[in-house]
Amino acid sequence: ALPESMRRIYGELLGNDRHFSGFLDYAEQKRGFFSNLIGRPIEKLIRDEFSGKICRNADVGAMASMTPVELAYALAIIRADDKYSITPPWVFRNYPKTEEVIHRLREIPCAEECPYCREHLNAKKQLKKIFGFDSFRTYDGEPLQENAAVAAIRGKSLLAVFPTGGGKSLTFQLPALVAGEASHGLTVVISPLQSLMKDQVDHLEEAGVADAVTINGLLSPVERADALERVTEGKASILYISPESLRSNTIERALVRRNVVRFVVDEAHCFSAWGQDFRVDYMYIGDFIRRYMELKNIRQPIPVSCFTATAKQKVVSDIRDYFRQKLGIELELFATRATRTNLHYAVLHVETNEKYAALRRLIAQKNCPTIVYVSRTRTAVTLAEKLVSDGYAARAYHGKMSSSEKVDNQEAFISNKVQIIVATSAFGMGVDKSDVGLVVHYEISDSLENYVQEAGRAGRDQKIDADCYVLFNDDDLNKHFMLLNQTKLSIGEIQQIWKAIKDLTKTRKNVTASALEIARQAGWDESVRDVETRVKTAIAALENAGYVERGKNVPRVYATGIMTPNMAAASDMIERSPRFDAQEKQDAKRVIKSLISARSRSEAGNEDGESRIDYLGDILGIGTERVENAVQRLREEGILADSTDMSAYIRRTETENRSKQILSKFSSLESYLASKLTGEVQELPLKEINDAAVRDGVSGATVRNIITVLYYWTIRSYVKKKTNEEDKQVWIFPSDSKQTIENRIARRAEIADFILSYLFEKSSGTKVNEREEALVPFSLLELMDNFKTRESLTNDRTGCTSDEVKDALLYLSKIGAMNL
């Protein structure tokens, strides 16, 4: 079915390779696939066929001669003309130079600015197309933002020193999205704070960019699975993760499946800050990149971009030395001396008992969005409560809060539901709120670098004048000296951890243990503040000295809650169940037999019962994935207990299911939008379609809600979406028939409606917080079973699949009907 020119191109490139030549000889003999184009040079054929899709000055002739198979695969992915298509991982494994060939064809801007490079690799054109901005930001007339973005698009490694609020996010997002379009590549952004990741992904979503994903501890199992799927299937061009996530085998496997074109390290001063906020796992980043290159057989260094607001010479040299030593990379420096002229600094010397009154006066004078920084968790909570009791809209934020409470409080501040956030240093990195007019340090920061970062969150909108106050008392420094002394490790303590590791590895070379288990083995008090960080810091010191090598983290999943009296009963239930095929029945019997034996040994006091899934996989020799599958089936059949695996905040009052009201609005809007699909490529101008929906009485019709629906359709592959550069119109490319999409929407709405009704009933009597939300625990299996029971009362359907429930939960989370 290919055009003759493509037949000839593939024939020329693959004809001399024994893996392809047999088929090509057969095709030529039977069909004469290549005869019509004989005589035209392969280089000219490729340039003509791919005009405007590859750099006109790329050395195609040399690639055709030196790497013909890799060039064929590269041309195949380019010809797909779909940035969400990815080259299969086995191609990169067998032909590792394919990534390099794609890079040379599509990612190196030529000096002459050929038609392809001028359109696709031009930083200003892409800035306008993706973000709608006409120009980059300058600092005292210096085009630092543009220079750094252009350097990244040209494939250079760099260190950019930006003032806080200086637009660094766009500087790495733009090259990442350009690379995603050009080479289907993935940019990995390593960032220290979960709030930063969520905030940046949300801002891109609001801009209509569906290419960014974050994987972090704030996500529910459903959201995490969706994010991993989007990464591995090529639906993401930017992945935000924490440095700790690089220790995850799951993350490593996902990245190996993709063409990672750049690693971005945000808040790179963490390489240098050996204080109480030091992130040990930053020091593993270089090792991870080197391991990734080895797994992918990549010889050319993968570019790295580092960003920090700290221009201190020692910090800059520490960062550059680290990457020079670890990866042999030279980071080009982009630094500005520009100051934030709209920020006004002042120190007020006040006695401890006068601080609160001084704070009240400052807040009353400014009456604007305000951040109050404190050094301790307890102070954040008590100070916020005191402000609320005095009539101010305030919330606390600190690192020990639950994930959901962090998200709620941060979003309440960003959306102006509350005017004041009282926070420890855990709040603020990357939180893009432009109208903060006042930052008050109720207690002084522990370093000048941290103070600059925290105060710099004021006045991100250059048009407003912002004030930064420090309420200073001589005792404040004493508190920080105490904290620093608490976190400083002695040689003796490092030796205790070394002895603990030797004890744990007496009988085997490798051991998997949590930081708390190692602390316990060392005889440390587990209640000591930051004991896990202290253990990790000690291990990092031992690793740097060559005593130990820390590997990947191993999550522990347990199969617990045996519901049958004995093996015979369990075996009978497995045999009669339609959920298992022949192989799965065998696996399930071996798993339940091992669990029952372990329980018997434990009850007899002979040894601990072992139910860890990774151990079961090792013991039974069938692998973790098959054990997990067997355990899931055993839970569905009721042979193992179904443990509650997630929870959600639903929006309710005593009598009103507010979550259902949100669903109803989005369902009517979504049905309306689906009715407008033609099944063909079509233009969907957002403002016009919204005006029409409002005229037609569609509840919930706003441009923002339409963007949310289109975003969900895009990430779930209902449609593909492109944005017109000129007027931001949306062009829709349906991936299924109109009827199929409408059926999927209707089915999801039915299941989502049931979930909200079920959780509303279950939350009866549950305490509702001040935002009229109730926290309800549940499991996927619980929802499936109850939906099946409900359906059996009304029709002959057999219930829903776990994938359908996950889809409905994800949808409810995205539209804001619940927080998972």
Side-chain angles (χ1 to χ4, degrees):
L2 291 173
E4 289 183 353
S5 54
M6 283 308 303
R7 297 181 202 166
R8 171 73 192 286
I9 289 169
Y10 286 142
E12 289 282 349
L13 294 175
L14 305 174
N16 294 323
D17 188 288
R18 65 188 180 88
H19 301 94
F20 302 91
S21 56
F23 167 76
L24 293 171
D25 288 345
Y26 171 82
E28 169 61 13
Q29 291 167 17
K30 291 290 184 183
R31 302 283 179 89
F33 271 175
F34 317 116
S35 55
N36 293 343
L37 293 162
I38 290 173
R40 289 176 65 186
I42 182 67
E43 183 175 353
K44 179 164 176 34
L45 261 178
I46 293 172
R47 291 200 189 282
D48 290 346
E49 182 69 22
F50 289 88
S51 177
K53 293 185 177 180
I54 62 173
C55 175
R56 187 169 62 191
N57 296 302
D59 195 349
V60 174
M63 293 180 220
S65 172
M66 304 290 291
T67 53
V69 178
E70 290 87 345
L71 178 57
Y73 276 119
L75 295 175
I77 192 71
I78 291 168
R79 190 172 180 275
D81 198 27
D82 173 9
K83 69 178 180 180
Y84 297 133
S85 290
I86 58 170
T87 303
W90 63 265
V91 171
F92 290 139
R93 178 174 289 279
N94 290 297
Y95 302 99
K97 289 186 178 178
T98 303
E99 290 179 350
E100 183 185 335
V101 170
I102 295 173
H103 174 69
R104 287 160 62 191
L105 288 173
R106 303 256 293 183
E107 288 192 279
I108 304 176
C110 64
E112 297 175 19
E113 285 214 332
C114 71
Y116 170 79
C117 295
R118 189 166 57 247
E119 179 63 31
H120 297 279
L121 301 182
N122 182 293
K124 282 189 174 176
K125 276 203 167 191
Q126 292 297 317
L127 179 72
K128 175 69 174 175
K129 179 181 177 182
I130 298 171
F131 294 103
F133 299 139
D134 293 316
S135 61
F136 288 94
R137 187 182 296 185
T138 60
Y139 306 93
D140 286 349
E142 185 182 2
L144 179 67
Q145 195 181 46
E146 181 177 2
N147 291 346
V150 168
I153 289 173
R154 292 181 178 276
K156 295 181 180 179
S157 292
L158 59 98
L159 168 58
V161 180
F162 278 70
T164 300
K168 67 180 174 185
S169 302
L170 183 142
T171 312
F172 60 75
Q173 288 168 353
L174 180 66
L177 295 170
V178 168
E181 189 82 43
S183 64
H184 310 258
L186 177 70
T187 296
V188 178
V189 182
I190 301 165
S191 177
L193 281 184
Q194 295 170 342
S195 58
L196 176 149
M197 304 181 211
K198 181 184 183 307
D199 189 64
Q200 294 199 4
V201 171
D202 287 349
H203 273 75
L204 286 169
E205 179 185 335
E206 288 169 13
V209 177
D211 293 47
V213 166
T214 178
I215 299 176
N216 62 61
L218 294 176
L219 302 181
S220 68
V222 169
E223 291 166 317
R224 180 181 171 83
D226 173 69
L228 279 167
E229 179 184 302
R230 288 171 62 193
V231 171
T232 55
E233 293 190 359
K235 297 174 188 173
S237 300
I238 305 175
L239 170 64
Y240 288 88
I241 55 174
S242 67
E244 289 80 6
S245 294
L246 298 177
R247 299 275 188 184
S248 161
N249 282 306
T250 303
I251 295 294
E252 182 183 275
R253 283 194 295 269
L255 295 185
V256 167
R257 292 175 64 88
R258 291 293 304 275
N259 171 21
V260 176
V261 294
R262 180 172 294 271
F263 287 91
V264 173
V265 183
D266 202 5
E267 310 297 345
H269 56 272
C270 291
F271 280 112
S272 184
W274 281 81
Q276 67 193 72
D277 295 323
F278 173 63
R279 297 291 284 262
V280 176
D281 284 286
Y282 261 76
M283 308 309 289
Y284 178 64
I285 291 173
D287 295 323
F288 177 86
I289 295 173
R290 188 170 63 243
R291 174 174 167 77
Y292 175 83
M293 292 171 61
E294 289 168 357
L295 289 171
K296 299 270 289 187
N297 198 17
I298 296 171
R299 303 223 174 114
Q300 289 292 324
I302 298 173
V304 174
S305 295
C306 292
F307 291 85
T308 180
T310 304
K312 197 174 174 181
Q313 191 56 46
K314 176 72 167 62
V315 174
V316 170
S317 62
D318 280 350
I319 296 167
R320 298 178 84 179
D321 288 347
Y322 175 86
F323 283 100
R324 187 181 297 120
Q325 293 164 10
K326 285 283 185 181
L327 299 170
I329 289 175
E330 288 295 332
L331 301 182
E332 187 174 342
L333 181 62
F334 295 88
T336 180
R337 298 186 183 278
T339 56
R340 299 279 300 283
T341 55
N342 66 326
L343 300 188
H344 308 286
Y345 301 92
V347 177
L348 305 181
H349 193 285
V350 292
E351 296 301 323
T352 302
N353 60 356
E354 298 172 355
K355 275 192 175 184
Y356 182 70
L359 175 64
R360 283 277 309 270
R361 284 195 299 274
L362 294 174
I363 292 172
Q365 286 169 12
K366 288 290 288 188
N367 190 26
C368 63
T370 300
I371 304 174
V372 180
Y373 278 107
V374 297
S375 60
R376 292 178 181 269
T377 296
R378 190 184 310 154
T379 310
V381 174
T382 55
L383 193 56
E385 288 174 350
K386 199 168 183 181
L387 286 167
V388 169
S389 68
D390 284 350
Y392 290 95
R395 297 263 181 98
Y397 189 102
H398 57 79
K400 294 182 181 179
M401 279 181 164
S402 67
S403 298
S404 57
E405 195 173 3
K406 283 181 187 175
V407 171
D408 288 346
N409 290 1
Q410 175 182 311
E411 290 186 345
F413 180 62
I414 289 173
S415 62
N416 292 320
K417 290 179 184 174
V418 298
Q419 182 181 343
I420 304 164
I421 195 92
V422 184
T424 61
S425 58
F427 178 81
M429 285 189 187
V431 174
D432 189 11
K433 184 170 174 61
S434 61
D435 59 347
V436 174
L438 178 64
V439 170
V440 180
H441 278 78
Y442 196 78
E443 294 164 326
I444 195 167
S445 296
D446 60 348
S447 70
L448 185 58
E449 286 78 20
N450 283 349
Y451 176 74
V452 170
Q453 289 269 345
E454 291 157 7
R457 276 142 207 162
R460 292 198 168 193
D461 182 346
Q462 299 292 313
K463 299 185 185 74
I464 69 171
D465 286 327
D467 293 311
C468 307
Y469 288 95
V470 177
L471 303 183
F472 177 67
N473 183 280
D474 293 337
D475 289 339
D476 292 343
L477 289 177
N478 293 334
K479 292 177 184 176
H480 284 299
F481 282 125
M482 286 172 59
L483 286 172
L484 286 169
N485 281 327
Q486 285 174 13
T487 55
K488 193 168 73 172
L489 283 174
S490 67
I491 289 293
E493 288 172 314
I494 295 173
Q495 289 171 336
Q496 288 172 346
I497 295 297
W498 171 231
K499 183 178 184 303
I501 292 171
K502 286 197 293 184
D503 290 341
L504 288 167
T505 52
K506 269 182 182 175
T507 57
R508 48 182 167 168
K509 188 177 179 182
N510 302 309
V511 66
T512 301
S514 71
L516 289 176
E517 287 170 326
I518 295 171
R520 194 180 302 133
Q521 184 71 34
W524 286 13
D525 183 354
E526 294 173 39
S527 64
V528 170
R529 184 177 183 270
D530 292 331
V531 67
E532 291 192 49
T533 301
R534 292 166 69 79
V535 170
K536 289 179 182 178
T537 304
I539 291 172
L542 291 168
E543 188 172 23
N544 287 338
Y547 286 89
V548 300
E549 181 181 343
R550 185 177 158 200
K552 292 284 186 294
N553 291 339
V554 180
R556 295 184 177 180
V557 183
Y558 291 85
T560 55
I562 302 166
M563 305 296 286
T564 54
N566 52 48
M567 184 61 204
S571 181
D572 182 57
M573 290 176 71
I574 291 168
E575 280 297 330
R576 287 189 285 106
S577 171
R579 298 180 191 269
F580 302 90
D581 61 26
Q583 180 62 61
E584 288 171 341
K585 284 181 179 178
Q586 185 179 344
D587 288 349
K589 287 179 182 178
R590 293 181 65 193
V591 167
I592 195 68
K593 183 178 181 180
S594 180
L595 289 171
I596 289 173
S597 298
R599 181 178 66 179
S600 300
R601 290 195 300 272
S602 179
E603 288 172 352
N606 297 330
E607 57 181 278
D608 290 337
E610 188 49 75
S611 58
R612 264 175 58 183
I613 280 181
D614 55 327
Y615 276 10
L616 286 168
D618 288 342
I619 293 165
L620 301 175
I622 61 175
T624 304
E625 193 171 326
R626 279 168 62 185
V627 174
E628 285 181 350
N629 182 56
V631 168
Q632 178 62 24
R633 296 284 185 275
L634 288 166
R635 284 176 176 161
E636 290 175 6
E637 198 58 44
I639 298 170
L640 289 179
D642 171 38
S643 54
T644 295
D645 53 12
M646 69 183 87
S647 58
Y649 279 99
I650 66 163
R651 308 181 196 286
R652 64 161 300 158
T653 64
E654 286 301 318
T655 58
E656 194 176 26
N657 191 335
R658 293 176 56 241
S659 288
K660 234 179 172 179
Q661 293 171 2
I662 295 171
L663 174 63
S664 176
K665 287 181 180 179
F666 270 92
S667 292
S668 69
L669 175 61
E670 195 174 15
S671 297
Y672 181 83
L673 291 174
S675 72
K676 298 299 178 185
L677 294 178
T678 62
E680 306 292 333
V681 176
Q682 70 185 102
E683 184 180 356
L684 199 67
L686 297 181
K687 188 174 185 311
E688 286 86 337
I689 201 81
N690 182 63
D691 290 345
V694 171
R695 282 196 305 271
D696 293 342
V698 177
S699 64
T702 66
V703 171
R704 174 80 177 270
N705 288 351
I706 291 173
I707 289 172
T708 299
V709 170
L710 292 178
Y711 174 82
Y712 189 79
W713 284 5
T714 304
I715 67 172
R716 301 304 290 168
S717 300
Y718 293 14
V719 298
K720 296 171 186 175
K721 181 167 71 80
K722 286 190 177 180
T723 304
N724 186 321
E725 179 180 347
E726 299 303 321
D727 52 13
K728 304 298 281 184
Q729 312 280 20
V730 175
W731 296 80
I732 296 291
F733 300 73
S735 52
D736 278 310
S737 69
K738 178 179 178 178
Q739 187 62 53
T740 300
I741 292 173
E742 287 180 332
N743 290 343
R744 288 174 71 181
I745 290 170
R747 178 64 170 165
R748 173 169 33 76
E750 179 187 12
I751 296 170
D753 185 77
F754 159 76
I755 290 171
L756 292 181
S757 296
Y758 176 77
L759 294 182
F760 182 79
E761 291 170 16
K762 189 174 181 181
S763 68
S764 177
T766 303
K767 186 179 179 182
V768 177
N769 62 23
E770 73 260 25
R771 295 177 297 282
E772 295 187 330
E773 294 173 333
L775 184 63
V776 195
F778 64 93
S779 73
L780 285 177
L781 185 54
E782 176 186 352
L783 294 177
M784 288 167 61
D785 286 345
N786 281 278
F787 185 77
K788 182 178 180 180
T789 301
R790 194 206 69 165
E791 281 212 322
S792 65
L793 298 175
T794 57
N795 55 45
D796 295 329
R797 296 179 74 161
T798 57
C800 55
T801 65
S802 61
D803 285 341
E804 287 178 320
V805 175
K806 289 175 186 175
D807 188 29
L809 287 169
L810 190 67
Y811 177 73
L812 290 168
S813 173
K814 292 296 181 188
I815 66 173
M818 64 162 58
N819 286 330
L820 282 172

